[in-house]
Amino acid sequence: MSDRMNPIPFKNLMEWIRTEYQTEGTIFGVKKLYRADSKRYLELFGQRFENPLGPAAGPHTQLAQNIVAAYAAGCRFFELKTVQKLDGEDLPVAKPCINAADECYNVEWSTELRVPQAFDEYVKAWFALKVISQEYGLGSPDGFIFNMSVGYDLEGIKTPKVDAFIEGMRNASNTPVWKECTDYLLSHTDLFPSVSEAFLRGLPTQVCTSITLSTLHGCPPAEIERIAMYLITEKHLHTYIKCNPTLLGYEFARDRMNKMGYEYIQFDDHHFKDDLQFSDAVPMLERLLQESDKRGLMFGVKITNTFPVDIARGELPGQEMYMSGRSLFPLSIAVALKLSEVFNGKLRISYSGGADYFNIADIYETGICPITIATTILKPGGYARCQQLVGELTAKPFHKDFSINVEKLRRLSNAVVENPRHRKSVKPEAFLKIPAKVPLADCFAAPCISGCPINQDIPAYIRLTGEQKYEEALRVITDKNPLPFITGTICNHRCMTGCTRNFYEDHVHIRAVKLEAARHAIETLKQNIKAQKPAQKNGAKVAVIGAGPAGLAAAYFLTRDGADVTVFEKKARAGGIVQYVIPEFRIPAASIGQDIELASSFGASFVYNSEQRSVEALKKQGFTHVVFAIGAWKQSALALEKGAAANVIEFLEQAKQAPETLKLGKNVVILGAGNTAMDAARVAKRTKGVEHSFIVYRRTKQFMPADAEELELALEDGVEFKELLAPVSYENGILRCEKMKLGERGADGRQKPVPSGEFVDIPADTVIASIGEKIDTDLFAESGIALDGKGRAQYNPATFETNVKNVYVIGDCAAGPATVVQAIANATKAARAIIESVKAQAWTAQFTTLNYNPVTASAYSKRAILMPMNLAASDGVAKESVRCLECSTVCESCVDVCPNRANLALTVPGMRMKQIVHVDGMCNECGNCATFCPYESAPYKDKFTLFHSEKDFLDSTNEGFLYLDDARSRCRVRLSGEVRDITLATETALPKELLQIINAVKTQYAYLL
């Protein structure tokens, strides 16, 4: 495929808009069309506009359809993508060029079209907005403003093509594209009844009266001033100059980024030295302001350009990229403040720099206007998010002038440093994708399901809980998860890491929803289990050794399906590590007890204080199968030059069973940084007499193995982190550590600690080692179970059966310490293998189909809407069902995030889901859809693709289709690398669903062709 976009001719553009609106009530996929209040407007540049929001100069203002989609969603101020002398194929833009997973990065700068093409796109869009505003009642035809953007040097701006662009925007009446648009509209007034000939002939010929000067980093101040003076004095344009965050100075920018958790973003001081200095900027802006006032023109600044940073972690191709989004906001708003303080609020500011739902009203209340956006609409929700942002702005009184309230701006700038919406998490978690290629058809899937080791039917039970159908929800949960209280409290929730809502504001609190259902319905569920007829005995008699989470889960699944199960536990109670080691403040004993009772509800027997070591002895007792679930309780050895550290498991067990016996002293040091270490540090901090609880680890917090949630909780509890230290010796109450430095990244992505030769002493009354637990494999060897090179049991990963027939190992004793939900996953596979071996039939889940919500309007109504969570509210958990995006019903993330509308969701007769089709000619391979696709996939490469020409088809390797004749009866199709020409009416070899898609494009979406 080519990364060159093919602009849509005006006739086709209007036919697409008209047909889509008539058939689906949408415009370029925007479902919630914004209709402006005709009585409210602002004025700028002598023009009216219906609200102060718009897309920034960038991917959302490059093509006509992008601008139309933004208008349909509510935007009324359009900063058109920058043009310059370097354009089209001559402009070097690496692909992919956008990465907006969190803070946004890009390696693009100005339009990828030729300058004359860009001009045509802007004029076509201008005409389209005039027409649809009038025809569909979306607002006043004079209710929006176009603002052109040029760069980056005076010589380039004076070249014939850029000069023609500027002059054409000032008066487009004599241009070919003006004639193309007016001729089409005048000859098709029957298609747009509300658009009369008089209306069309009365349109102004001036598309744009204002301009923003985009200053490439390193442009000398004198050149900036020369360009601005030229635009003001010779082109007579209202002029804004785009400023750079470099005005703040390197030290300020680096310090603010570090304080807010962005220390990993790398940049040096060379741009700060080469760019416009603040001391030069102020007098320059004063001179330009005076010149503009003298000529009756408006002058101001655009804040800010994106910020140049190094490509250090492979985010995008190349060496340097431009940062925007939530990490840019702290810098941009500081630039706004710095300038406003000097100009006493009299310098007009147009803003773009991380504006989003959470700050846009605050920005506007300072007097800043207009406000343009990019990053927030590059994320799932896309253009449709604009309507919510507009709502935030129109709820405020509209500005009469554009002076800045410096005090409000100061408060906003100062507050941002501690604002969690803009601070980076102490340990950012990567979004978990579905480990598969996106299917060509029926691709909607919930990544929370695949992120869960037991593939729970999460959308189903979230919806049922929201409907207060708690028992139904709990039945869905316990179909795959017999420990809803434990996992509803301490699960490491990989499902939430995969939740698409992470790209909105925060994940759905799936774990809390599970616990809510369990609390409401556990007693009813247990009563109903007792009342129901027991499963028919299947002949399996299973000994489960160990009553921790893995053993409990195995007992539940096996007895539910008719096996006779006895659980042998060497301790006095069931629950394993959860019962004996995990602190009470993390999970109450009553919750553990509920799950133990549920696990035994189908008839499993429990024998306590019984250590079983012989498989042969158990088989002689009549057991047909043996499942080892003995956990991992042995402490790994920590080698210190002097002294020894206490065992973390023994410490936590003592703290839980007999806390009054602990004598730790004032200073406690935990060596290690996993979840168990965090528990130990928090327990120590709560222990009487302890003043300091330290975590000592050889890397930084970002690279600690503990889950992000556990790190955050430890910090909240006052645990002190001693980073980049490796323990050496412990004697006389002093722990000596060597300072470490972070070196090259290892295979796991973490930077390797490198010794520095420097040492530091830490006061330590107690030192506890938490460097991982090991499995006691002597028991396995005694039973003839084969061990691997690391001394662990060998087993079939599909069934967890060992080399000894009908003997299984599950949970921590299989592959080492893991999570509760992973233990359940192991138990599920082993139980399934046992049940299927005695029943000779597949073991299937019951509730998978409930993940799809037949009321698709419910799912669509949630898309694009930012909805902060509040679990502390009385109905907080119940509202999580409203926040769930129901991705298995509707995904369309790739559609949302494509600025060019190159990914389309089509209704195909005979298919339940909408189908995603990629349109090759509209794509510039920005790569944004690959970031947000729930699969490890790139829709612009991997979805079924519509081609418009044989050349485009040959230039691509995408699986897709090309119509070969005007009647569209024949197609060329590429599938699995094979190219075939087919006749649609007689084709039988092509998969049915792909044939349905091709026919639907032909019959229902001909405007795409």
Side-chain angles (χ1 to χ4, degrees), residues 94-117:
K95 299 298 174 70
C97 58
I98 297 173
N99 183 335
D102 188 355
E103 66 270 15
C104 186
Y105 303 106
N106 73 83
V107 290
E108 57 171 10
W109 35 327
S110 55
T111 181
E112 295 174 50
L113 300 173
R114 292 292 183 186
V115 171
Q117 287 180 304

Side-chain angles (χ1 to χ4, degrees), residues 846-876:
Q846 299 183 53
F847 300 106
T848 302
T849 57
L850 291 182
N851 292 315
Y852 178 81
N853 184 356
V855 185
T856 56
S858 168
Y860 278 113
S861 69
K862 304 173 187 179
R863 299 202 68 79
I865 304 299
L866 291 165
M867 196 180 303
M869 68 298 176
N870 183 10
L871 289 180
S874 59
D875 60 348

Side-chain angles (χ1 to χ4, degrees), residues 447-465:
C448 58
I449 297 175
S450 67
C452 173
I454 54 177
N455 302 124
Q456 289 184 95
D457 299 304
I458 294 167
Y461 76 69
I462 287 179
R463 185 172 70 253
L464 291 168
T465 302

